[in-house]
Amino acid sequence: MVNIDVVRIDIPEGTNVIIGQSHFIKTVEDLYETLASSSPSIKFGIAFNEASGKRLVRFDGNDEELIKLAIENAKRIGAGHTFVIYIKNAYPINVLNRIKNVEEVVRIFAATANPLQVLVAETDQGRGVIGVVDGYTPLGVESDADIKERKELLRKFGYKR
């Protein structure tokens, strides 16, 4: 028997969340080092759900509010080997490849500031993330004006020249 639970993730204004899967207890320390060395101004909180042993929610970070958010949402997801990272003063694009290159990281489910729901399957053994709902359903296809606006925005942010 499998039950599906929809876990709504809280994302306060000005923050982004990254949710992924990893496989080892040293995940928290390695993610901390990866984020801390990515930018001197980044603020973050990390929580990681152990899948064996003591099965604790391990945590770290450099911002108490973000650490608390990460812990709360990791507990609500309740799936082993799942991590939750909240960031401020940076965007996922600034850290995502570095996180993906952490040797314990298996996958990234979401990296967003949009409304987010995590789909969690629950069996007699435990819980596992099976996917996410990130943002909303598209309303149409971009027009020429939308293309122009997108290109201008990317240049305004400095991502394109």
Side-chain angles (χ1 to χ4, degrees):
M1 186 69 145
V2 176
N3 293 316
I4 307 295
D5 189 13
V6 178
V7 179
R8 186 174 307 277
I9 301 301
D10 301 320
I11 307 175
E13 186 72 30
T15 64
N16 280 263
V17 67
I18 300 168
I19 297 178
Q21 185 178 30
S22 186
H23 71 88
F24 195 50
I25 193 171
K26 76 185 196 83
T27 297
V28 170
E29 289 181 59
D30 288 354
L31 288 174
Y32 180 96
E33 291 169 356
T34 295
L35 292 167
S37 66
S38 70
S39 166
S41 62
I42 189 172
K43 297 295 180 194
F44 61 92
I46 305 164
F48 169 68
N49 293 335
E50 285 184 309
S52 59
K54 290 185 174 184
R55 296 192 329 230
L56 300 173
V57 177
R58 305 290 182 166
F59 65 92
D60 208 337
N62 64 6
D63 183 285
E64 289 302 318
E65 175 188 339
L66 298 178
I67 293 168
K68 286 179 187 176
L69 278 169
I71 291 169
E72 287 172 21
N73 284 283
K75 286 170 47 179
R76 290 179 41 231
I77 293 168
H81 283 167
T82 300
F83 63 83
V84 177
I85 300 170
Y86 278 88
I87 60 174
K88 276 186 187 175
N89 302 336
Y91 296 101
I93 194 170
N94 305 130
V95 297
L96 205 50
N97 278 336
R98 293 178 64 131
I99 291 169
K100 289 176 189 176
N101 284 323
V102 171
E103 60 191 356
E104 302 92 345
V105 172
V106 176
R107 73 183 63 171
I108 301 294
F109 294 110
T112 190
N114 293 326
L116 182 65
Q117 297 173 325
V118 177
L119 307 176
V120 179
E122 185 167 359
T123 69
D124 61 341
Q125 178 178 309
R127 292 165 63 90
V129 175
I130 57 175
V132 297
V133 178
D134 184 350
Y136 302 105
T137 303
L139 298 175
V141 177
E142 68 181 349
S143 67
D144 288 342
D146 295 319
I147 292 169
K148 182 177 185 267
E149 180 183 32
R150 169 175 44 90
K151 289 181 177 185
E152 288 172 357
L153 182 65
L154 291 174
R155 279 145 187 84
K156 176 183 172 189
F157 288 157
Y159 291 136
K160 297 287 183 176
R161 291 200 270 179

